[in-house]
Structure formats: C-alpha cells, structure tokens
Amino acid sequence: MYYLNACGLVCALGDTMDAIKERLLGRPRSGVAVSDACSPGRALPLGAVSSRLPPVCQLPPPQRSRNNQLALAALAQIRPAVDAAIALFGAGRVGIVIGTSTSGILEAENAMRQNTVDGTFPAAFQYSQQEMGSPAAMLAGELGIVGPSYVHSSACASSAKAMASAARLIKMGLCDAVLTGGVDSLCAFTVAGFSALDSVSSVLCNPLSANRNGINIGEGAALFLMSGIQAPVALCGWGESSDGYHMSAPDPDGGGARLAMEQALARAKIAPERIDYINLHGTATLQNDAMEARAVAALFGSMPAVSSTKPLTGHALGAAGAIEAALCWIAMQDDNPEGRLPPHLWDGVADPALPVLNVVKPGTLLGRPLSWALSNSFAFGGSNAVLVLGRTA
C-alpha cells in the first residue's frame, strides 16, 4: 500500500489546508480572478497564487525561480513529516519525483523583456533556471536527500505520472518513502500558447456546459509524502496510456482515457461501481470534455458523483494532477465524515450532445465518508494518467 502520509498544497484557493478546505468544501468559491499579468493588453481569468512565497535567495542561482518558490511553500506545510521520514529511513532511502511543465520559464521571459529594452540580461538570470529537473534538484538539496530524484514533464499528466512513479520506486524496493507531486507557475508562454490554439476562455471556465469555450490557466504546487507507514488515505491504483492520436487533440473515442481508468481500477482491485467520486480532467474545452464524458459514461454510467475543480483553481498544467489528487485527499480526511464533495461550478446548461453525468452540486453530501476517489489527467500528445485514492481506515 502506498500511503499518503502528509500533503502540502498551495493554489489559487489558498496557501493553508484550512483555507483551501473552506473554499472547496465549506463555502465553495473560485480562486480564479481576472488579470493581464500574463497577457498584457488582454485581461484573462487566471488561477494565480496571491500569497507571499518563501525566499529563494539561499538557493544556488540556477534554482531561483517562482516555480521553486511554490514548491517550497508546499514543502513548508509538511517539512516536519518529511524530515522525520529522512531520519527514520535515511537520506538514501527517500526519493523525490515531481511533475512540472514550466519550471523557470517565467524568469527567462523577464530576462528577455529586459534584453529587448536595453540589450542586457539581468545579472541574476541563468539559462539553467529553465531546466525541467530544477524542482527535484532543489528539493533534494534543501532536504539533503540522496535517493532517486527526478522530474516528469508530460504536459498536464506530469504530476499524476510522478505519483505513479513514486509508488513504483517503493514497490521496487528502491525507496522507503518518496516526496512526490507537482508544481507549475504562471507565465506568458503558456497563456500565449493556449491562446494560439483558441483554447483560453475570457470568462470563468465552464466544464461540461453547452457554453464551454476554453480553459483558465492556473498555478500551484502539491507535495505528498508517500510511504508504507499507514495513513487514512493511500494511492491504491494508477493507470497510464498513450493515445498517439494528435499533438493537442484527444482521441474523440476516449479509448486511451478509458484504458488508463481501467488500469487504475485493476491495480486498486475494485470494480467501477465502488468509486464514489471522480475528479474529472474537465478542462472546459470542446474536445476534452466530450471525450472524457463519453469515456466516463461508458465505464461508470451515471452513478458516481463527478466534478471538475478547474473553475476553482484554474488549470495548473503540469501540477494539475497532484493538486486535484490533493483536493480528493482533503475530502477523504476524517474531518469530513458526511462526505462533502468538491463541487462542479458551472452555468448548469448541460450539453445535450454529451452523456448525462452525476454532476456535484455545491453542498452535496454522500452521507458517509468518501471512500474511493478517481482523478483523471489527460494531456497533449495523448498522455493519460489516472489515480485511484482510497480510505484505509
């Protein structure tokens, strides 16, 4: 069993578990707000982290980035548990597997802006700040970990894949504990890229709606301490597949998505009807929502409760899988005995072309603790990753 002993989370909903839980399960409200920070002259809804972040001046210059600040903010919430695991198992028996897609691109953008103005780069800028491996290297150095340490970068499936890889490290006997999850930071590069694909919405995103017209990009970090030490919630199954259908569009039949969900259920050794709640990838793009709705309906019917939490947090790209697993983790804790579920914020105008799903309304209760949750992450290039979390108590 791959227990999730501790979770640190910072996203558009807040930078403490209490604040995030209140905005997720108490009085749900979006953390997405309009800003032109990443698109000068065109204000867009973004899931930005507004809280003060830890300094990075103590880090080697190549590791000084907002991306790593977000990772440090999540780490700070669980640092005692991570330090205790290192003391118990030894620095060589603890690993790090992180997912990201942006790393230090923001710092490169800022440097290029200055270079355009005066022909020089900032003294603090280093090209290596963009290295995708930076978050893992930074965390390993900060914690003194010398076990396996690496990064997954497979677009929006990155951090879900990182968590699956962390479980495999424990399963293979290479690690006794792994710090795993994902981090991504807002930057103009990703906003411009998705805008070029006509995939960015100018209003709050609207998953599953007939009026959906694109995503809201977000940022954040979610880190888990995973080990064999018993905890209330565990990663019980995972599935990964590759469509190879198109560079940016999903396979409309959802075959790869369904295969990943089936693999995750098989590893967890549970039937589809036992899943209480599905956190949809739910980007609010025309093609993703259509594909995912069909795949979910074909495998689960209309029984499990479903929601997309991207209207709450924005789409944090490489960090999305871990952030959404963290939202499931929050809902599965002992302090939610009535099974309050993450809500689906939308206009309520169902797309008649999509199968009917059991969409979570704000305030929905299972009437018992949330026992089984499935979280979908479907990325560009047809990279699919699905996690199944289960309550163990």
Side-chain angles (χ1 to χ4, degrees):
M1 193 74 76
Y2 312 102
Y3 295 101
L4 302 176
N5 302 110
C7 176
L9 174 61
V10 56
C11 64
L13 289 178
D15 61 355
T16 68
M17 281 296 176
D18 286 344
I20 293 169
K21 182 183 176 183
E22 172 62 17
R23 296 183 71 171
L24 177 72
L25 303 177
R27 292 177 295 172
R29 56 197 186 279
S30 175
V32 174
V34 174
S35 169
D36 67 352
C38 295
S39 53
R42 184 193 179 201
L44 292 170
L46 298 175
V49 173
S50 58
S51 55
R52 187 173 182 177
L53 299 176
V56 289
C57 55
Q58 78 282 6
L59 298 176
Q63 295 178 4
R64 297 174 186 172
S65 67
R66 178 175 174 81
N67 213 54
N68 285 344
Q69 284 185 288
L70 290 165
L72 285 172
L75 174 65
Q77 298 175 23
I78 60 171
R79 182 69 184 260
V82 177
D83 286 340
I86 296 168
L88 176 63
F89 298 120
R93 296 292 301 171
V94 179
I96 299 175
V97 191
I98 303 297
T100 192
S101 69
T102 58
S103 197
I105 292 176
L106 174 62
E107 284 63 39
E109 290 177 355
N110 292 337
M112 289 302 298
R113 289 190 188 98
Q114 177 174 316
N115 185 263
T116 300
V117 172
D118 61 19
T120 66
F121 288 105
F125 172 66
Q126 294 200 16
Y127 183 80
S128 53
Q129 286 171 299
Q130 300 174 87
E131 290 287 345
M132 288 298 169
S134 180
M138 181 276 294
L139 290 168
E142 183 76 6
L143 294 162
I145 288 173
V146 295
S149 176
Y150 56 97
V151 162
H152 274 279
S153 189
S154 49
C156 307
S158 299
S159 53
K161 283 180 152 300
M163 294 179 66
S165 291
R168 284 192 289 265
L169 286 176
I170 296 173
K171 182 178 181 180
M172 291 186 293
L174 296 176
C175 293
D176 294 309
V178 181
L179 180 64
T180 186
V183 55
D184 251 355
S185 45
L186 282 165
C187 58
F189 179 84
T190 50
V191 173
F194 280 94
S195 296
L197 294 170
D198 291 327
S199 295
V200 172
S201 177
S202 60
V203 296
L204 187 67
C205 68
N206 207 356
L208 300 180
S209 170
N211 299 315
R212 69 189 186 278
N213 65 351
I215 69 174
N216 305 145
I217 298 179
E219 65 178 355
L223 296 178
F224 293 91
L225 177 63
M226 181 188 294
S227 79
I229 298 175
Q230 189 166 358
V233 179
L235 175 62
C236 297
W238 63 89
E240 299 169 272
S241 67
S242 179
D243 292 346
Y245 175 79
H246 188 273
M247 287 182 67
S248 60
D251 177 357
D253 293 332
R258 177 166 178 167
L259 177 61
M261 290 188 284
E262 289 174 336
Q263 287 181 0
L265 292 170
R267 279 200 175 89
K269 296 182 173 59
I270 61 169
E273 55 266 26
R274 295 190 64 190
I275 294 293
D276 298 313
Y277 166 70
I278 299 174
N279 186 289
L280 301 171
H281 187 55
T283 61
T285 58
L286 292 174
Q287 295 183 63
N288 173 85
D289 286 15
M291 174 280 292
E292 186 173 18
R294 294 185 193 112
V296 166
L299 184 56
F300 296 95
S302 60
M303 287 300 295
V306 307
S307 71
S308 168
T309 47
K310 287 181 172 67
L312 293 163
T313 64
H315 186 355
L317 306 180
I323 288 174
E324 289 158 21
L327 299 182
C328 294
W329 184 90
I330 290 171
M332 299 177 83
Q333 296 302 301
D334 292 339
D335 59 1
N336 184 27
E338 294 181 320
R340 193 175 296 272
L341 298 175
H344 189 85
L345 300 185
W346 65 324
D347 62 6
V349 182
D351 186 341
L354 303 186
V356 176
L357 300 177
N358 182 16
V359 174
V360 178
K361 298 177 181 179
T364 295
L365 301 175
L366 280 177
R368 56 177 174 78
L370 172 58
S371 296
W372 292 100
L374 180 142
S375 183
N376 287 335
S377 296
F378 304 134
F380 277 7
S383 181
N384 306 307
V386 175
L387 305 176
V388 170
L389 275 60
R391 271 181 59 88
T392 62

